[in-house]
Amino acid sequence: MSALLHLNSVGVTLRDTRALDAVSLSINAGEIVALLGPNGAGKTTLMRAGLGLLPHDGEARLGDALSHTLSARDRALRAAYLPQRPQSIWPVSVESLVALGRFAHGAAPDRLGARDQIAVDAALEACALTALRQRRMDEISGGEKARAHLARALAQHAPLLILDEPTAGLDPAQALGVAEILRARVEQGGAVLFSTHDIALAASVAHRVVLLRAGRIIAEGEPMAALTPNALEAAYGRKGRIERIGDAVVAVFE
Protein backbone atom coordinates (compact mmCIF):
# COMPACT_ATOMS: atom_id res chain seq x y z
CA MET A 1 0.00 0.00 0.00
CA SER A 2 1.39 3.41 -0.96
CA ALA A 3 2.01 6.11 1.64
CA LEU A 4 -0.79 8.62 2.11
CA LEU A 5 1.80 11.38 1.64
CA HIS A 6 5.24 10.92 0.11
CA LEU A 7 7.87 13.60 -0.46
CA ASN A 8 11.03 12.77 -2.35
CA SER A 9 13.74 15.47 -2.35
CA VAL A 10 11.14 18.23 -2.36
CA GLY A 11 12.40 21.79 -2.49
CA VAL A 12 10.63 25.14 -2.58
CA THR A 13 12.02 28.58 -3.40
CA LEU A 14 10.02 31.59 -2.22
CA ARG A 15 11.11 35.11 -3.15
CA ASP A 16 14.66 33.94 -3.92
CA THR A 17 14.89 32.13 -0.57
CA ARG A 18 15.22 28.36 -0.32
CA ALA A 19 12.31 27.72 2.05
CA LEU A 20 12.48 23.94 1.76
CA ASP A 21 15.53 22.03 0.63
CA ALA A 22 15.61 18.37 -0.50
CA VAL A 23 13.08 17.12 2.06
CA SER A 24 12.02 13.47 1.92
CA LEU A 25 9.21 12.21 4.13
CA SER A 26 6.44 9.58 4.08
CA ILE A 27 3.25 9.46 6.14
CA ASN A 28 1.45 6.12 6.43
CA ALA A 29 -1.97 5.13 7.68
CA GLY A 30 -2.17 4.66 11.43
CA GLU A 31 0.44 7.22 12.47
CA ILE A 32 0.60 10.74 13.83
CA VAL A 33 3.60 12.77 12.69
CA ALA A 34 4.45 16.15 14.23
CA LEU A 35 6.44 18.86 12.50
CA LEU A 36 8.58 20.91 14.88
CA GLY A 37 11.00 23.77 14.43
CA PRO A 38 11.37 27.52 14.96
CA ASN A 39 9.44 30.15 13.02
CA GLY A 40 10.54 30.10 9.41
CA ALA A 41 11.82 26.52 9.58
CA GLY A 42 9.63 25.42 6.66
CA LYS A 43 6.77 23.60 8.40
CA THR A 44 3.92 25.32 6.54
CA THR A 45 5.87 25.24 3.29
CA LEU A 46 6.34 21.48 3.63
CA MET A 47 2.61 20.96 4.11
CA ARG A 48 1.58 23.16 1.22
CA ALA A 49 4.16 21.64 -1.12
CA GLY A 50 3.02 18.16 -0.14
CA LEU A 51 -0.53 19.11 -1.04
CA GLY A 52 0.58 20.46 -4.41
CA LEU A 53 -0.35 24.03 -3.46
CA LEU A 54 3.16 25.45 -4.03
CA PRO A 55 5.51 25.10 -7.00
CA HIS A 56 8.28 22.72 -6.02
CA ASP A 57 11.04 20.54 -7.34
CA GLY A 58 11.35 16.89 -6.44
CA GLU A 59 8.27 14.69 -6.11
CA ALA A 60 5.23 15.11 -3.87
CA ARG A 61 2.50 12.47 -3.91
CA LEU A 62 -0.84 12.04 -2.21
CA GLY A 63 -1.41 8.32 -2.41
CA ASP A 64 -0.57 7.17 -5.92
CA ALA A 65 -0.91 10.58 -7.60
CA LEU A 66 1.41 13.54 -7.99
CA SER A 67 -0.10 16.21 -5.75
CA HIS A 68 0.11 19.08 -8.22
CA THR A 69 -1.85 17.12 -10.84
CA LEU A 70 -4.91 16.62 -8.65
CA SER A 71 -8.11 18.59 -8.99
CA ALA A 72 -9.34 20.40 -5.87
CA ARG A 73 -11.98 17.70 -5.36
CA ASP A 74 -9.56 14.79 -5.75
CA ARG A 75 -7.11 16.47 -3.39
CA ALA A 76 -9.86 16.97 -0.82
CA LEU A 77 -10.83 13.30 -1.00
CA ARG A 78 -7.24 12.34 -0.17
CA ALA A 79 -6.28 14.98 2.40
CA ALA A 80 -8.10 17.45 4.64
CA TYR A 81 -6.02 20.58 5.20
CA LEU A 82 -6.52 22.99 8.09
CA PRO A 83 -4.32 26.08 7.66
CA GLN A 84 -3.20 28.44 10.38
CA ARG A 85 -5.85 30.89 11.57
CA PRO A 86 -8.69 29.93 9.18
CA GLN A 87 -11.30 32.60 8.61
CA SER A 88 -14.04 32.54 11.25
CA ILE A 89 -15.96 35.75 10.69
CA TRP A 90 -18.81 34.43 8.56
CA PRO A 91 -22.25 34.69 10.19
CA VAL A 92 -23.03 31.01 9.57
CA SER A 93 -23.89 28.35 12.09
CA VAL A 94 -21.25 26.01 13.48
CA GLU A 95 -23.08 23.11 11.85
CA SER A 96 -23.07 24.84 8.44
CA LEU A 97 -19.33 25.47 8.68
CA VAL A 98 -18.65 21.84 9.58
CA ALA A 99 -20.86 20.74 6.68
CA LEU A 100 -18.51 22.53 4.27
CA GLY A 101 -16.26 19.53 4.79
CA ARG A 102 -18.68 17.50 2.71
CA PHE A 103 -18.26 19.54 -0.51
CA ALA A 104 -15.83 17.03 -2.00
CA HIS A 105 -18.52 14.38 -1.59
CA GLY A 106 -21.04 16.43 -3.58
CA ALA A 107 -22.88 17.86 -0.59
CA ALA A 108 -23.37 21.35 0.83
CA PRO A 109 -24.84 22.74 4.06
CA ASP A 110 -28.28 23.02 2.44
CA ARG A 111 -28.18 19.60 0.76
CA LEU A 112 -26.82 16.98 3.11
CA GLY A 113 -27.59 13.35 2.41
CA ALA A 114 -27.92 10.79 5.20
CA ARG A 115 -24.24 9.84 5.02
CA ASP A 116 -23.21 13.50 5.05
CA GLN A 117 -25.34 14.24 8.09
CA ILE A 118 -23.83 11.28 9.93
CA ALA A 119 -20.33 12.59 9.16
CA VAL A 120 -21.23 16.11 10.35
CA ASP A 121 -22.88 14.84 13.54
CA ALA A 122 -19.87 12.64 14.34
CA ALA A 123 -17.44 15.51 13.79
CA LEU A 124 -19.47 17.84 16.01
CA GLU A 125 -19.53 15.21 18.74
CA ALA A 126 -15.80 14.47 18.44
CA CYS A 127 -15.00 18.15 18.90
CA ALA A 128 -17.52 18.68 21.74
CA LEU A 129 -19.62 21.07 19.64
CA THR A 130 -23.00 19.35 19.53
CA ALA A 131 -24.55 21.85 21.95
CA LEU A 132 -23.20 24.75 19.85
CA ARG A 133 -24.27 23.46 16.44
CA GLN A 134 -26.81 26.28 15.86
CA ARG A 135 -24.62 29.06 17.25
CA ARG A 136 -23.14 31.51 14.75
CA MET A 137 -19.43 31.35 14.07
CA ASP A 138 -19.02 35.07 14.73
CA GLU A 139 -20.57 34.69 18.19
CA ILE A 140 -18.44 31.93 19.72
CA SER A 141 -15.05 32.00 21.41
CA GLY A 142 -11.70 31.62 19.70
CA GLY A 143 -11.22 28.13 21.09
CA GLU A 144 -14.68 27.10 19.92
CA LYS A 145 -13.92 28.49 16.45
CA ALA A 146 -10.74 26.42 16.31
CA ARG A 147 -12.66 23.28 17.23
CA ALA A 148 -15.30 24.04 14.60
CA HIS A 149 -12.68 24.25 11.86
CA LEU A 150 -11.13 21.01 13.08
CA ALA A 151 -14.59 19.42 12.97
CA ARG A 152 -14.94 20.61 9.35
CA ALA A 153 -11.70 18.81 8.50
CA LEU A 154 -12.88 15.65 10.28
CA ALA A 155 -16.21 15.71 8.43
CA GLN A 156 -14.29 15.62 5.15
CA HIS A 157 -13.47 11.95 5.86
CA ALA A 158 -10.16 12.12 4.00
CA PRO A 159 -7.64 9.45 5.00
CA LEU A 160 -5.00 12.09 5.80
CA LEU A 161 -5.40 15.12 8.07
CA ILE A 162 -2.86 17.92 7.59
CA LEU A 163 -3.15 20.49 10.36
CA ASP A 164 -1.05 23.63 10.65
CA GLU A 165 -0.72 24.55 14.34
CA PRO A 166 -4.15 23.19 15.35
CA THR A 167 -3.60 23.97 19.05
CA ALA A 168 -2.33 27.55 18.65
CA GLY A 169 -4.19 29.83 21.03
CA LEU A 170 -5.88 26.99 22.89
CA ASP A 171 -5.66 26.52 26.63
CA PRO A 172 -3.99 23.34 27.96
CA ALA A 173 -7.27 21.47 28.41
CA GLN A 174 -8.38 22.30 24.87
CA ALA A 175 -4.99 21.29 23.46
CA LEU A 176 -5.23 17.92 25.21
CA GLY A 177 -8.71 17.55 23.75
CA VAL A 178 -7.29 18.05 20.27
CA ALA A 179 -4.64 15.42 21.02
CA GLU A 180 -7.40 12.96 21.93
CA ILE A 181 -9.18 13.72 18.65
CA LEU A 182 -6.01 13.04 16.68
CA ARG A 183 -5.47 9.73 18.46
CA ALA A 184 -9.04 8.69 17.72
CA ARG A 185 -8.58 9.60 14.07
CA VAL A 186 -5.62 7.25 13.58
CA GLU A 187 -7.36 4.49 15.53
CA GLN A 188 -10.01 4.66 12.79
CA GLY A 189 -7.36 4.01 10.16
CA GLY A 190 -6.36 7.52 9.14
CA ALA A 191 -3.13 9.45 9.52
CA VAL A 192 -2.28 12.92 10.83
CA LEU A 193 0.49 15.35 9.97
CA PHE A 194 0.46 18.44 12.18
CA SER A 195 2.77 21.29 12.99
CA THR A 196 3.18 22.79 16.42
CA HIS A 197 5.43 24.88 18.65
CA ASP A 198 4.34 22.77 21.64
CA ILE A 199 7.23 20.32 21.88
CA ALA A 200 5.78 18.53 24.89
CA LEU A 201 2.44 18.00 23.13
CA ALA A 202 4.21 16.65 20.04
CA ALA A 203 6.29 14.28 22.14
CA SER A 204 3.15 13.08 23.94
CA VAL A 205 0.87 12.44 20.97
CA ALA A 206 3.06 11.80 17.91
CA HIS A 207 4.41 8.44 16.85
CA ARG A 208 7.15 10.31 15.00
CA VAL A 209 8.50 13.85 15.04
CA VAL A 210 10.24 15.72 12.24
CA LEU A 211 12.47 18.58 13.41
CA LEU A 212 13.15 21.28 10.82
CA ARG A 213 15.64 24.10 10.65
CA ALA A 214 16.07 26.46 7.68
CA GLY A 215 14.09 24.21 5.36
CA ARG A 216 15.96 20.99 6.16
CA ILE A 217 15.18 18.00 8.36
CA ILE A 218 17.74 17.85 11.16
CA ALA A 219 16.15 15.05 13.21
CA GLU A 220 13.39 12.51 12.69
CA GLY A 221 12.08 9.55 14.63
CA GLU A 222 10.29 8.46 17.78
CA PRO A 223 10.01 11.61 19.93
CA MET A 224 12.08 10.64 22.95
CA ALA A 225 14.85 9.33 20.68
CA ALA A 226 14.84 12.12 18.08
CA LEU A 227 14.50 15.14 20.37
CA THR A 228 17.97 14.92 21.87
CA PRO A 229 19.63 17.91 23.55
CA ASN A 230 21.90 18.30 20.52
CA ALA A 231 18.97 18.26 18.09
CA LEU A 232 16.98 20.76 20.15
CA GLU A 233 19.95 23.12 20.39
CA ALA A 234 20.59 22.83 16.64
CA ALA A 235 16.96 23.70 15.90
CA TYR A 236 16.25 26.39 18.49
CA GLY A 237 19.68 27.71 19.41
CA ARG A 238 19.19 26.95 23.10
CA LYS A 239 20.06 23.96 25.24
CA GLY A 240 17.03 21.84 25.96
CA ARG A 241 15.86 18.37 26.85
CA ILE A 242 12.73 16.25 26.94
CA GLU A 243 11.77 14.61 30.23
CA ARG A 244 9.04 12.14 31.10
CA ILE A 245 7.41 12.69 34.49
CA GLY A 246 4.92 9.92 35.13
CA ASP A 247 2.56 9.93 32.16
CA ALA A 248 3.47 13.51 31.24
CA VAL A 249 6.19 14.77 28.91
CA VAL A 250 7.82 18.17 29.45
CA ALA A 251 10.31 20.20 27.43
CA VAL A 252 12.91 22.09 29.45
CA PHE A 253 15.11 24.82 27.94
CA GLU A 254 17.94 26.70 29.62
Side-chain angles (χ1 to χ4, degrees):
M1 184 176 64
S2 62
L4 298 181
L5 175 68
H6 178 69
L7 307 182
N8 182 23
S9 295
V10 169
V12 175
T13 299
L14 299 174
R15 295 181 294 277
D16 299 322
T17 298
R18 196 65 168 165
L20 205 65
D21 192 13
V23 167
S24 295
L25 177 68
S26 289
I27 311 295
N28 299 299
E31 66 175 345
I32 301 172
V33 178
L35 295 178
L36 293 169
N39 291 327
K43 300 184 296 295
T44 298
T45 301
L46 184 156
M47 292 178 167
R48 290 178 58 79
L51 288 163
L53 301 177
L54 286 177
H56 59 272
D57 47 65
E59 183 178 272
R61 289 183 173 272
L62 285 170
D64 59 359
L66 291 170
S67 302
H68 72 277
T69 68
L70 293 168
S71 67
R73 178 179 183 275
D74 285 342
R75 182 182 295 112
L77 290 172
R78 294 166 186 251
Y81 175 48
L82 182 60
Q84 293 182 39
R85 295 179 291 277
Q87 292 295 313
S88 304
I89 59 175
W90 312 311
V92 300
S93 70
V94 169
E95 182 173 9
S96 292
L97 181 106
V98 174
L100 294 176
R102 301 301 297 172
F103 263 131
H105 300 272
D110 60 348
R111 58 172 192 277
L112 293 179
R115 183 175 297 180
D116 303 308
Q117 190 64 61
I118 289 171
V120 170
D121 291 345
L124 288 167
E125 182 176 359
C127 295
L129 291 168
T130 301
L132 299 178
R133 65 193 307 152
Q134 297 305 323
R135 291 280 302 277
R136 282 181 18 173
M137 285 293 297
D138 57 345
E139 296 176 342
I140 60 177
S141 73
E144 290 163 346
K145 289 182 175 73
R147 298 207 314 273
H149 283 287
L150 177 56
R152 174 181 56 79
L154 293 175
Q156 198 168 318
H157 274 200
L160 176 63
L161 281 177
I162 298 182
L163 313 173
D164 200 352
E165 297 191 28
T167 61
L170 300 185
D171 63 40
Q174 291 174 326
L176 289 173
V178 170
E180 291 170 358
I181 292 167
L182 302 188
R183 291 190 185 100
R185 182 70 187 89
V186 299
E187 288 173 0
Q188 296 163 2
V192 178
L193 173 66
F194 76 102
S195 68
T196 183
H197 288 292
D198 190 335
I199 298 171
L201 177 70
S204 298
V205 71
H207 300 100
R208 186 157 43 104
V209 296
V210 177
L211 187 59
L212 294 166
R213 174 77 183 187
R216 287 180 173 270
I217 294 176
I218 61 172
E220 179 182 358
E222 189 274 332
M224 299 303 288
L227 298 175
T228 64
N230 286 342
L232 291 171
E233 185 172 9
Y236 297 101
R238 299 185 70 91
K239 295 184 181 297
R241 64 186 185 277
I242 305 297
E243 295 183 356
R244 188 176 293 278
I245 303 174
D247 294 331
V249 177
V250 296
V252 180
F253 283 87
E254 299 176 8

